[in-house]
Amino acid sequence: SDTTAYDARLAVSGSNVHVTWREYDPVDLIYSTYYSRSTDGGSSFLGSQKLSGDLYVNYATVATDDSNRVVVTWVEYDTSSNYATKARASSNGGSTFGAESTLSDGDDINIYEVDIAADGEGGFDVAWTRYSGERANPYRIAYTHCDSGCSTWSNPVEIDTGEDAKFRNVPAVNADSSGVGIAWSDRDSSFGGSSDSDIVFRYDSGSGWSAPELVSEHYYEADSEVPVLASAGDWLYMLYRDGGDLDQDGDSNGNDAHADDGDIFFRRSS
């Protein structure tokens, strides 16, 4: 990049490397979504191109599949704080991209974090956190899907528990031909856990979403957040951060006024 850049993400398929990031435009005074690719495993890159329009951009990310399809997604907003989740798709390995698609439904006061995964059959799955402005339950996890080509996207649906929660954030998406799984941080206490944020997971194998499952542990009674998903074969893997308990012997209740020890937890499907 030629100016200040943030939030780089990459996706790899064979020797094809796809990179996206936010880059500052000193003329329009905004951050835009940029993309670049390599066809030789990253030894060289074929320049960069701007994918977003003339509005402010956050949270750009990218996914690809074994057929060299590429989708870049980002969050866009204007000076009136109108937020939207956007995407552009390529069917030729990033040589060219189709027109911009709007994935969100236009009712969002704010959008936080977006993640994307290829489903192994030509389609892509996207999730994000939407802030709806509802007093008791403002934070929701939204999801949409496109079939091969991604010329159209399904209407976004909310896949969280639907219970009142003061906070939800950072959805992580993983998909293959057998289905799609999404994990996120959720402060819904109806699970019987603590009032802190926990990691919740749902899966759809094509017959509808599974019941929300609490997958983080409760020993530390601190916030669990920022899940990451990966899969290989029949296994699904997850990492997440827990605020921990810095002084378990002297004060076992919570993360000691944020003087936390920041543990990283690992889980694997069974």
Side-chain angles (χ1 to χ4, degrees), residues 3 24-30:
T3 62
Y24 186 67
D25 182 340
V27 176
D28 294 330
L29 305 181
I30 62 173

Side-chain angles (χ1 to χ4, degrees), residues 117-121 125 143 173-181 203-206 209 231:
D119 70 4
E121 295 186 325
D125 299 282
Y143 162 82
V173 184
N174 186 271
D176 58 22
S177 59
S178 64
V180 55
Y203 184 79
D204 185 358
S205 59
W209 289 97
S231 62

Side-chain angles (χ1 to χ4, degrees), residues 14-49:
S15 60
N16 299 297
V17 182
H18 307 277
V19 182
T20 189
W21 66 92
R22 293 191 302 132
E23 184 170 321
Y24 186 67
D25 182 340
V27 176
D28 294 330
L29 305 181
I30 62 173
Y31 281 91
S32 301
T33 301
Y34 277 80
Y35 164 84
S36 184
R37 67 189 178 106
S38 168
T39 59
D40 57 10
S43 295
S44 61
F45 281 82
L46 303 173
S48 63
Q49 57 180 306

Side-chain angles (χ1 to χ4, degrees), residues 136-137 139 141 160-161 163-169 184-200 214 216 222-225 255 258:
N137 193 11
Y139 295 94
I141 304 299
D160 53 75
T161 63
E163 298 292 333
D164 292 349
K166 295 180 179 180
F167 184 76
R168 294 183 173 101
N169 206 5
W184 67 92
S185 180
D186 200 313
R187 201 164 286 182
D188 174 8
S189 60
S190 67
F191 288 104
S194 69
S195 60
D196 299 304
S197 296
D198 299 304
I199 304 299
V200 177
L214 183 64
S216 55
D223 287 334
S224 297
E225 56 192 0
N255 63 353
H258 301 291

Side-chain angles (χ1 to χ4, degrees), residues 63-260:
T64 188
D65 64 14
D66 292 339
S67 297
N68 227 12
R69 301 178 184 91
V70 183
V71 176
V72 176
T73 60
W74 65 90
V75 176
E76 190 173 270
Y77 62 99
D78 60 23
T79 55
S80 298
S81 296
N82 297 306
Y83 283 76
T85 305
K86 300 284 188 172
R88 291 183 68 180
S90 171
S91 60
N92 55 16
S95 295
T96 59
F97 282 82
E100 181 180 287
S101 297
T102 300
L103 311 188
S104 49
D105 59 14
D107 294 329
D108 302 308
I109 295 176
N110 206 335
I111 296 176
Y112 306 89
E113 306 288 347
V114 59
D115 197 24
I116 184 172
D119 70 4
E121 295 186 325
F124 289 78
D125 299 282
V126 178
W128 63 92
T129 306
R130 63 183 298 260
Y131 182 80
S132 64
E134 300 170 16
R135 180 165 183 162
N137 193 11
Y139 295 94
R140 308 301 299 272
I141 304 299
Y143 162 82
T144 185
H145 170 83
C146 72
D147 292 322
S148 182
C150 291
S151 58
T152 60
W153 293 78
S154 63
N155 291 329
V157 295
E158 294 173 346
I159 63 159
D160 53 75
T161 63
E163 298 292 333
D164 292 349
K166 295 180 179 180
F167 184 76
R168 294 183 173 101
N169 206 5
V170 196
V173 184
N174 186 271
D176 58 22
S177 59
S178 64
V180 55
I182 300 179
W184 67 92
S185 180
D186 200 313
R187 201 164 286 182
D188 174 8
S189 60
S190 67
F191 288 104
S194 69
S195 60
D196 299 304
S197 296
D198 299 304
I199 304 299
V200 177
F201 177 80
R202 297 189 78 177
Y203 184 79
D204 185 358
S205 59
S207 58
W209 289 97
S210 64
E213 179 183 359
L214 183 64
V215 293
S216 55
E217 52 76 50
H218 300 292
Y219 174 73
Y220 287 135
E221 297 183 15
D223 287 334
S224 297
E225 56 192 0
V226 197
V228 178
L229 297 176
S231 62
D234 294 332
W235 298 103
L236 179 65
Y237 304 89
M238 180 176 69
L239 293 174
Y240 65 91
R241 181 188 184 277
D242 189 278
D245 190 349
L246 192 64
D247 183 11
Q248 297 179 36
D249 296 327
D251 180 5
S252 61
N253 184 26
N255 63 353
D256 307 317
H258 301 291
D260 57 52

